[in-house]
Amino acid sequence: MRGKALRLYRGFVRRKVWVILSLLLLLFLLSLLSLSLGAARLGPGEVWRAFFSRFLPLSPPDRLSEVIVWELRVPRVLLAVLAGAGLALAGAVSQGLLRNPLASPYTLGISSAAGFGASLALVLGLGVVGGEYLVVANAFCFALLATLLVWALGLKKGMSPESVILAGIAVMYLFSSLTSILQYAAEPRALQGVVFWLMGGLHTATWEGVLPVLVLLLLCSPPLLGSSWDLNAIAVGDETARSLGVNVKRVRGMGLVLLSLLTAGIVSFTGTIGFIGLVSPHLARMLVGGDHRFLLPCSCLVGALLLLGADTLARTLLAPTEIPVGAITSLLGIPFFLHLLLRKRRDYWP
Amino acid sequence: MAGKAAVLPAVLVAVLLAAGYLGYRAGSKTLVTPESTLTVVDDSGKYVEVPRPVRSLAVLHSDAGEILCALGAENLVVGVSPTTKAKLSPKFDNVSEVGSCSSPNYEKIVELRPDVVITYSGSTGSEEQLRSRLEPLGIRVLCLDAYKLELIPKDIRLLGLMLGREERAEEYAKFFENLVGLIENRVSGLPAENRVRVYLEGHKDYQTASYGTMGHSIITAAGGLNLAAGEPVPYPIISSEWVLEKDPDVILKNAGSKVLPSGGRGLTDPGPLRQVREALLSRPGWSELKAVRENRVYVVSWDLWGGGSQIITLCHAARWFYPSLFQDLDPLPLHRQLVENFWGLEYRGVFTYP
Amino acid sequence: MKMEARGVHFSYGSLLALRGVTLGAEEGEVVSLVGPNGSGKTTLLRCLDGILRPQRGSILLDGRELARIDPRELSRRVGYLPQGSPSSFPLTVFDTVLLGRRPHLGWRVGERDLRVVSGLLEEMGMEGLALRHFGELSGGERQKVLLARLLAQEPEVLLLDEPTAHLDLRHQLEILGLLRRKAGERGITVVMALHDLNLASGFSDRVVLLHRGRVLASGRPGSVLTPSRLERVYGVRVRRMGGKGRPYLLPLRPS
């Protein structure tokens, strides 16, 4: 019988690697599918020619399909993938750091603060910079302000998960009530803008929006992915983690700041997209278990798949009318929540 | 094996980055080059260079759609917003939908390649976004705020100029200017103490309108005093007590799309409007109000609170406020003229009560 | 002396928890800390693990100040099993035990780490549970997994806070037996807080009786656990039975 546990464990790890590889393949296929669907009546042939003419020596496509594919669809698909991955990563890390299955970047007040910043720009035209990036910059700055508030409040209480969660909820309510007041004072057209922003969507995706999100993801994800072992240790309890040499206070503080930064950047460009950050880590946990070395990359892939799938539905279901993608992701989230609630097994969370 | 798992997203990101860079360096972007151009100033104060004449337009709000119908230019419209389509049916029934001002469908607009896209100006961010995304492709963005009564004649003339239909535009613009001028003339001499005091209620119960809103402008233009003019937010929710204390001379109520899905079009019986009015009268204590006792409570369909139709609401209001001054002003034929002669639609329905 | 506390004072705000505690544990020695609730057992263990830093006095490991030892090195040499870990978290048994290897590894798991974990699970008869989730296990199995996690750390000193709380008789004996064996075979020093005086008497080389943050007595179980002392500390009359070395204590009633 020697080595039975080892054999079992090796098989387990191999399975997880396979799951992750399959998700990656699935994401690639879904991206291709999503590229070929849209409000404009372009055949798959035209789409592919326009797409691949940038890489391969093909005959040049007509300007229309080139513009639609490269200026509209590709940035949108990329933003869906990047935003989905980023929000899911932020969600998985926050659940791990706070040992709470209901934690998400939104329960930390980030999105409600971003919503307030955006509303301020939309309703009163007030903001840190003017012009086209007024709304985005405002949303980002207020999200950072919320992060700072939660972080400072948490630090005052020794960064215990409970204190961070309570601080996050307080900040969330603070900013959402401020947003309500602004909405009350808004002109109907500004109000419509606020409502649309709060529902979230990717219809505003441009290359100018994709690049900053990409840079943020490239900056924030390596340290977050690198904290897998610390997150595993924290799962067993702060004291155990500390005795294993993990500086819990620092890991939690830094992790919160990084995941908030990532979320702030994404939310500024996409508006509030519900449930991705909450649902993806849970789905990933069902697929590969709770070991953060696998959970974090898997969450990224699940998040990217979910958001890309939801956005593809959002822009094709009633085309050319678009359904707010936040509504679709939330609809995806509710059955999941019920499932989680009714789940009998205790292999999961308390 | 754990290392591999983490490398995967990195590879994915690198692939995306490469694709993004290649995409970002795309070459020239202009789709169409016009031969001759005209530079106009739109309602956001921007100079917009449009081709002359404009051959195709996409319209993101119905206020511009109405004007285009009045100018006989509906065949130049290649894309409309869903509400424009519904409001001006059947004019645009076979025209593609291209989203609304707050969520335009870029892909559809690019596919349709209009010369000009018409939207509202404002701080909603969509205006800048439309410009930055469509203008590199040679599609001009024009902001027309024709939901404001004072801007309607100017916008009519602007579109007339762009489309080479100045004569028709002049006639349509005069329709508005003449009526506004007539009413202004007759009420301008009224002393403040003789002016009627008006409570306006939106489609939501107890939600009124303060300074700067369309409702306020109409009441003021018709010579009335808006009781909520000084409230701090544009659409304040007030208490019933406040109304009882203020005791308005006239009450105006907007019947929303919940009770009046069609806006009153096609209606032969004023039943739904009457129900709205009866609900108002049966509110506790309201039977004591001066407006109720003197039978001066009026219900107006939501369809008349916006775009060109608001001129009809203005005419109604003037007559309700000062019946002796406006004996000769009958809003119903004017409404028929607007809908049938200018827009070319069938005029049938009940829009006000009583 | 493997691990030593010298005149340790610690207070949580105004609450004084330890008032000058001095004790030592030799290599391979099993030391039990006993005393009523609030006598300072847990605080002392936390100080010994370096989680809490004493306001006065010092902790020495092999004669070196604990505060001067790099946290990473400390986590390789001293292991701590706190009381009241979460009853469920989304990790498998193998992953949980593997966590004990964290002080020894970088991001990657080495072959030796896997062998240590697998060996421990087999030694404790839990190889069949390797892929079960922690939350699915019984209370006794959970405590054994957490102990395996501690042993996988391969420390020189084990600190345990109530390792047998809420366990049935068999698991109590299994766990304490395993600790004794490790102490004897590998020369590991074990310091644990215990509530059950009979288990402390039966499994320890030395018993330290704490009372209100002070060491009241320290020595062989037979010399420390006397009825008069226990009555003074716990306020309970106790009948002492059995041999001089490892007495058996039967509590009678509050005095």
Side-chain angles (χ1 to χ4, degrees), chain C residues 11-85:
Chain C
S11 62
Y12 298 96
S14 60
L15 184 78
L16 217 57
L18 298 177
R19 335 178 175 208
V21 170
T22 298
L23 63 83
E26 302 284 353
E27 194 170 302
E29 195 180 20
V30 176
V31 178
S32 291
L33 308 176
V34 298
N37 291 330
S39 59
K41 303 188 293 290
T42 299
T43 307
L44 180 56
L45 285 173
R46 285 179 176 164
C47 286
L48 291 175
D49 191 42
I51 292 177
L52 298 180
R53 187 151 303 170
Q55 278 109 5
R56 263 166 55 203
S58 54
I59 312 273
L60 304 173
L61 177 65
D62 281 332
R64 269 172 77 199
E65 278 268 9
L66 210 60
R68 300 250 173 89
I69 302 177
D70 172 63
R72 182 103 175 157
E73 186 196 335
L74 187 64
S75 68
R76 279 194 292 263
R77 297 180 61 188
V78 180
Y80 174 44
L81 180 61
Q83 203 188 354
S85 296

